[in-house]
PDB file of all heavy atoms in Angstrom:
ATOM      1  N   LYS A 294       7.168 -16.951  11.774  1.00 86.00           N
ATOM      2  CA  LYS A 294       8.465 -16.595  12.481  1.00 86.00           C
ATOM      3  C   LYS A 294       8.720 -15.117  12.302  1.00 86.00           C
ATOM      4  O   LYS A 294       9.042 -14.436  13.281  1.00 86.00           O
ATOM      5  CB  LYS A 294       9.639 -17.370  11.707  1.00 86.00           C
ATOM      6  CG  LYS A 294      11.017 -17.138  12.375  1.00 86.00           C
ATOM      7  CD  LYS A 294      12.037 -17.985  11.726  1.00 86.00           C
ATOM      8  CE  LYS A 294      13.430 -17.763  12.314  1.00 86.00           C
ATOM      9  NZ  LYS A 294      14.465 -18.446  11.643  1.00 86.00           N
ATOM     10  N   ALA A 295       8.439 -14.481  11.174  1.00 84.00           N
ATOM     11  CA  ALA A 295       8.654 -13.060  10.934  1.00 84.00           C
ATOM     12  C   ALA A 295       7.666 -12.275  11.773  1.00 84.00           C
ATOM     13  O   ALA A 295       8.030 -11.213  12.319  1.00 84.00           O
ATOM     14  CB  ALA A 295       8.508 -12.704   9.420  1.00 84.00           C
ATOM     15  N   LYS A 296       6.428 -12.816  11.889  1.00 82.00           N
ATOM     16  CA  LYS A 296       5.416 -12.112  12.764  1.00 82.00           C
ATOM     17  C   LYS A 296       5.830 -12.074  14.207  1.00 82.00           C
ATOM     18  O   LYS A 296       5.586 -11.155  14.857  1.00 82.00           O
ATOM     19  CB  LYS A 296       4.160 -12.850  12.467  1.00 82.00           C
ATOM     20  CG  LYS A 296       2.931 -12.306  13.324  1.00 82.00           C
ATOM     21  CD  LYS A 296       1.657 -13.079  12.882  1.00 82.00           C
ATOM     22  CE  LYS A 296       0.443 -12.607  13.716  1.00 82.00           C
ATOM     23  NZ  LYS A 296      -0.717 -13.334  13.354  1.00 82.00           N
ATOM     24  N   LYS A 297       6.440 -13.174  14.654  1.00 82.00           N
ATOM     25  CA  LYS A 297       6.762 -13.286  16.091  1.00 82.00           C
ATOM     26  C   LYS A 297       7.951 -12.535  16.466  1.00 82.00           C
ATOM     27  O   LYS A 297       8.010 -11.884  17.535  1.00 82.00           O
ATOM     28  CB  LYS A 297       6.967 -14.889  16.466  1.00 82.00           C
ATOM     29  CG  LYS A 297       7.210 -15.126  17.864  1.00 82.00           C
ATOM     30  CD  LYS A 297       7.341 -16.501  18.169  1.00 82.00           C
ATOM     31  CE  LYS A 297       7.615 -16.792  19.619  1.00 82.00           C
ATOM     32  NZ  LYS A 297       7.770 -18.238  19.981  1.00 82.00           N
ATOM     33  N   ASN A 298       8.964 -12.480  15.654  1.00 83.00           N
ATOM     34  CA  ASN A 298      10.186 -11.869  15.915  1.00 83.00           C
ATOM     35  C   ASN A 298      10.811 -11.103  14.743  1.00 83.00           C
ATOM     36  O   ASN A 298      11.925 -11.583  14.190  1.00 83.00           O
ATOM     37  CB  ASN A 298      11.192 -12.775  16.501  1.00 83.00           C
ATOM     38  CG  ASN A 298      12.286 -12.114  17.340  1.00 83.00           C
ATOM     39  OD1 ASN A 298      12.267 -10.979  17.531  1.00 83.00           O
ATOM     40  ND2 ASN A 298      13.340 -12.850  17.650  1.00 83.00           N
ATOM     41  N   PRO A 299      10.167 -10.032  14.227  1.00 86.00           N
ATOM     42  CA  PRO A 299      10.619  -9.447  12.935  1.00 86.00           C
ATOM     43  C   PRO A 299      11.952  -8.711  13.069  1.00 86.00           C
ATOM     44  O   PRO A 299      12.262  -8.178  14.066  1.00 86.00           O
ATOM     45  CB  PRO A 299       9.557  -8.464  12.682  1.00 86.00           C
ATOM     46  CG  PRO A 299       9.009  -8.075  14.045  1.00 86.00           C
ATOM     47  CD  PRO A 299       9.051  -9.380  14.840  1.00 86.00           C
ATOM     48  N   GLU A 300      12.648  -8.603  11.990  1.00 87.00           N
ATOM     49  CA  GLU A 300      13.889  -7.846  11.868  1.00 87.00           C
ATOM     50  C   GLU A 300      13.575  -6.464  11.281  1.00 87.00           C
ATOM     51  O   GLU A 300      14.268  -5.421  11.510  1.00 87.00           O
ATOM     52  CB  GLU A 300      14.893  -8.491  11.101  1.00 87.00           C
ATOM     53  CG  GLU A 300      15.380  -9.815  11.629  1.00 87.00           C
ATOM     54  CD  GLU A 300      16.381 -10.569  10.729  1.00 87.00           C
ATOM     55  OE1 GLU A 300      16.793 -10.032   9.710  1.00 87.00           O
ATOM     56  OE2 GLU A 300      16.973 -11.568  11.164  1.00 87.00           O
ATOM     57  N   ILE A 301      12.459  -6.351  10.570  1.00 90.00           N
ATOM     58  CA  ILE A 301      11.994  -5.141   9.949  1.00 90.00           C
ATOM     59  C   ILE A 301      10.490  -5.005  10.235  1.00 90.00           C
ATOM     60  O   ILE A 301       9.807  -6.017  10.160  1.00 90.00           O
ATOM     61  CB  ILE A 301      12.207  -5.156   8.394  1.00 90.00           C
ATOM     62  CG1 ILE A 301      13.678  -5.372   8.071  1.00 90.00           C
ATOM     63  CG2 ILE A 301      11.801  -3.813   7.814  1.00 90.00           C
ATOM     64  CD1 ILE A 301      13.949  -5.713   6.594  1.00 90.00           C
ATOM     65  N   ILE A 302      10.045  -3.802  10.476  1.00 90.00           N
ATOM     66  CA  ILE A 302       8.665  -3.542  10.607  1.00 90.00           C
ATOM     67  C   ILE A 302       8.201  -2.439   9.586  1.00 90.00           C
ATOM     68  O   ILE A 302       8.989  -1.635   9.243  1.00 90.00           O
ATOM     69  CB  ILE A 302       8.201  -3.106  12.005  1.00 90.00           C
ATOM     70  CG1 ILE A 302       8.900  -1.883  12.586  1.00 90.00           C
ATOM     71  CG2 ILE A 302       8.311  -4.327  13.044  1.00 90.00           C
ATOM     72  CD1 ILE A 302       8.409  -1.413  13.948  1.00 90.00           C
ATOM     73  N   ASP A 303       7.050  -2.652   9.056  1.00 92.00           N
ATOM     74  CA  ASP A 303       6.487  -1.737   8.058  1.00 92.00           C
ATOM     75  C   ASP A 303       5.427  -0.808   8.702  1.00 92.00           C
ATOM     76  O   ASP A 303       4.447  -1.407   9.344  1.00 92.00           O
ATOM     77  CB  ASP A 303       5.891  -2.458   6.909  1.00 92.00           C
ATOM     78  CG  ASP A 303       6.900  -3.384   6.179  1.00 92.00           C
ATOM     79  OD1 ASP A 303       8.089  -3.073   6.370  1.00 92.00           O
ATOM     80  OD2 ASP A 303       6.407  -4.288   5.467  1.00 92.00           O
ATOM     81  N   LEU A 304       5.567   0.476   8.540  1.00 88.00           N
ATOM     82  CA  LEU A 304       4.497   1.340   9.101  1.00 88.00           C
ATOM     83  C   LEU A 304       3.293   1.296   8.123  1.00 88.00           C
ATOM     84  O   LEU A 304       3.438   1.533   6.958  1.00 88.00           O
ATOM     85  CB  LEU A 304       5.068   2.751   9.166  1.00 88.00           C
ATOM     86  CG  LEU A 304       4.115   3.801   9.701  1.00 88.00           C
ATOM     87  CD1 LEU A 304       3.667   3.456  11.064  1.00 88.00           C
ATOM     88  CD2 LEU A 304       4.761   5.217   9.649  1.00 88.00           C
ATOM     89  N   GLY A 305       2.181   1.031   8.746  1.00 85.00           N
ATOM     90  CA  GLY A 305       0.937   1.075   7.937  1.00 85.00           C
ATOM     91  C   GLY A 305       0.260   2.347   7.950  1.00 85.00           C
ATOM     92  O   GLY A 305       0.314   3.121   6.935  1.00 85.00           O
ATOM     93  N   LEU A 306      -0.395   2.738   9.039  1.00 84.00           N
ATOM     94  CA  LEU A 306      -1.118   3.904   9.130  1.00 84.00           C
ATOM     95  C   LEU A 306      -1.039   4.604  10.541  1.00 84.00           C
ATOM     96  O   LEU A 306      -0.885   3.939  11.465  1.00 84.00           O
ATOM     97  CB  LEU A 306      -2.689   3.639   8.885  1.00 84.00           C
ATOM     98  CG  LEU A 306      -3.095   3.019   7.521  1.00 84.00           C
ATOM     99  CD1 LEU A 306      -4.419   2.387   7.593  1.00 84.00           C
ATOM    100  CD2 LEU A 306      -2.964   4.037   6.404  1.00 84.00           C
ATOM    101  N   ILE A 307      -1.112   5.896  10.547  1.00 86.00           N
ATOM    102  CA  ILE A 307      -1.337   6.684  11.735  1.00 86.00           C
ATOM    103  C   ILE A 307      -2.510   7.652  11.671  1.00 86.00           C
ATOM    104  O   ILE A 307      -2.665   8.264  10.576  1.00 86.00           O
ATOM    105  CB  ILE A 307       0.008   7.539  12.001  1.00 86.00           C
ATOM    106  CG1 ILE A 307       1.228   6.604  12.317  1.00 86.00           C
ATOM    107  CG2 ILE A 307      -0.227   8.508  13.188  1.00 86.00           C
ATOM    108  CD1 ILE A 307       2.503   7.431  12.448  1.00 86.00           C
ATOM    109  N   GLY A 308      -3.338   7.620  12.700  1.00 87.00           N
ATOM    110  CA  GLY A 308      -4.453   8.399  12.630  1.00 87.00           C
ATOM    111  C   GLY A 308      -4.714   9.066  13.989  1.00 87.00           C
ATOM    112  O   GLY A 308      -4.414   8.532  15.043  1.00 87.00           O
ATOM    113  N   VAL A 309      -5.192  10.293  13.871  1.00 89.00           N
ATOM    114  CA  VAL A 309      -5.503  11.053  15.126  1.00 89.00           C
ATOM    115  C   VAL A 309      -6.937  11.724  14.999  1.00 89.00           C
ATOM    116  O   VAL A 309      -7.213  12.409  13.943  1.00 89.00           O
ATOM    117  CB  VAL A 309      -4.545  12.152  15.468  1.00 89.00           C
ATOM    118  CG1 VAL A 309      -4.887  12.945  16.739  1.00 89.00           C
ATOM    119  CG2 VAL A 309      -3.091  11.544  15.681  1.00 89.00           C
ATOM    120  N   VAL A 310      -7.747  11.601  15.976  1.00 88.00           N
ATOM    121  CA  VAL A 310      -9.106  12.243  15.927  1.00 88.00           C
ATOM    122  C   VAL A 310      -8.896  13.785  15.900  1.00 88.00           C
ATOM    123  O   VAL A 310      -8.006  14.251  16.636  1.00 88.00           O
ATOM    124  CB  VAL A 310      -9.984  11.870  17.132  1.00 88.00           C
ATOM    125  CG1 VAL A 310     -11.259  12.643  17.285  1.00 88.00           C
ATOM    126  CG2 VAL A 310     -10.320  10.337  17.085  1.00 88.00           C
ATOM    127  N   GLU A 311      -9.717  14.495  15.173  1.00 86.00           N
ATOM    128  CA  GLU A 311      -9.408  15.917  14.968  1.00 86.00           C
ATOM    129  C   GLU A 311      -9.327  16.729  16.229  1.00 86.00           C
ATOM    130  O   GLU A 311      -8.550  17.592  16.264  1.00 86.00           O
ATOM    131  CB  GLU A 311     -10.604  16.429  14.045  1.00 86.00           C
ATOM    132  CG  GLU A 311     -10.333  17.953  13.633  1.00 86.00           C
ATOM    133  CD  GLU A 311     -11.388  18.383  12.699  1.00 86.00           C
ATOM    134  OE1 GLU A 311     -12.283  17.665  12.268  1.00 86.00           O
ATOM    135  OE2 GLU A 311     -11.239  19.568  12.171  1.00 86.00           O
ATOM    136  N   LYS A 312     -10.176  16.492  17.201  1.00 87.00           N
ATOM    137  CA  LYS A 312     -10.236  17.234  18.451  1.00 87.00           C
ATOM    138  C   LYS A 312      -8.858  17.071  19.184  1.00 87.00           C
ATOM    139  O   LYS A 312      -8.579  17.976  20.073  1.00 87.00           O
ATOM    140  CB  LYS A 312     -11.386  16.801  19.298  1.00 87.00           C
ATOM    141  CG  LYS A 312     -11.215  15.348  19.869  1.00 87.00           C
ATOM    142  CD  LYS A 312     -12.458  15.057  20.768  1.00 87.00           C
ATOM    143  CE  LYS A 312     -12.298  15.795  22.211  1.00 87.00           C
ATOM    144  NZ  LYS A 312     -13.408  15.403  23.142  1.00 87.00           N
ATOM    145  N   TYR A 313      -8.093  16.005  18.894  1.00 88.00           N
ATOM    146  CA  TYR A 313      -6.840  15.845  19.570  1.00 88.00           C
ATOM    147  C   TYR A 313      -5.604  16.189  18.762  1.00 88.00           C
ATOM    148  O   TYR A 313      -4.429  16.001  19.299  1.00 88.00           O
ATOM    149  CB  TYR A 313      -6.692  14.371  20.037  1.00 88.00           C
ATOM    150  CG  TYR A 313      -7.683  13.933  21.092  1.00 88.00           C
ATOM    151  CD1 TYR A 313      -8.808  13.109  20.790  1.00 88.00           C
ATOM    152  CD2 TYR A 313      -7.694  14.459  22.407  1.00 88.00           C
ATOM    153  CE1 TYR A 313      -9.751  12.589  21.728  1.00 88.00           C
ATOM    154  CE2 TYR A 313      -8.556  14.116  23.350  1.00 88.00           C
ATOM    155  CZ  TYR A 313      -9.609  13.204  22.984  1.00 88.00           C
ATOM    156  OH  TYR A 313     -10.551  12.821  23.983  1.00 88.00           O
ATOM    157  N   ARG A 314      -5.766  16.697  17.521  1.00 83.00           N
ATOM    158  CA  ARG A 314      -4.597  16.890  16.632  1.00 83.00           C
ATOM    159  C   ARG A 314      -3.638  17.978  17.169  1.00 83.00           C
ATOM    160  O   ARG A 314      -2.528  17.977  16.691  1.00 83.00           O
ATOM    161  CB  ARG A 314      -5.086  17.191  15.218  1.00 83.00           C
ATOM    162  CG  ARG A 314      -5.663  15.957  14.567  1.00 83.00           C
ATOM    163  CD  ARG A 314      -6.229  16.177  13.162  1.00 83.00           C
ATOM    164  NE  ARG A 314      -6.838  14.997  12.678  1.00 83.00           N
ATOM    165  CZ  ARG A 314      -7.578  14.941  11.532  1.00 83.00           C
ATOM    166  NH1 ARG A 314      -7.627  16.033  10.784  1.00 83.00           N
ATOM    167  NH2 ARG A 314      -8.121  13.807  11.121  1.00 83.00           N
ATOM    168  N   ASN A 315      -4.097  18.874  17.916  1.00 83.00           N
ATOM    169  CA  ASN A 315      -3.205  19.950  18.490  1.00 83.00           C
ATOM    170  C   ASN A 315      -2.847  19.827  19.966  1.00 83.00           C
ATOM    171  O   ASN A 315      -2.366  20.700  20.524  1.00 83.00           O
ATOM    172  CB  ASN A 315      -3.950  21.241  18.143  1.00 83.00           C
ATOM    173  CG  ASN A 315      -4.014  21.694  16.775  1.00 83.00           C
ATOM    174  OD1 ASN A 315      -3.167  21.439  15.895  1.00 83.00           O
ATOM    175  ND2 ASN A 315      -5.143  22.177  16.363  1.00 83.00           N
TER     176      ASN A 315
END
Side-chain angles (χ1 to χ4, degrees):
K294 183 179 179 182
K296 180 177 174 181
K297 185 177 180 180
N298 198 10
E300 296 180 359
I301 305 167
I302 55 175
D303 299 341
L304 181 62
L306 300 165
I307 294 177
V309 179
V310 171
E311 187 173 2
K312 66 179 286 189
Y313 293 110
R314 287 180 187 171
N315 295 318

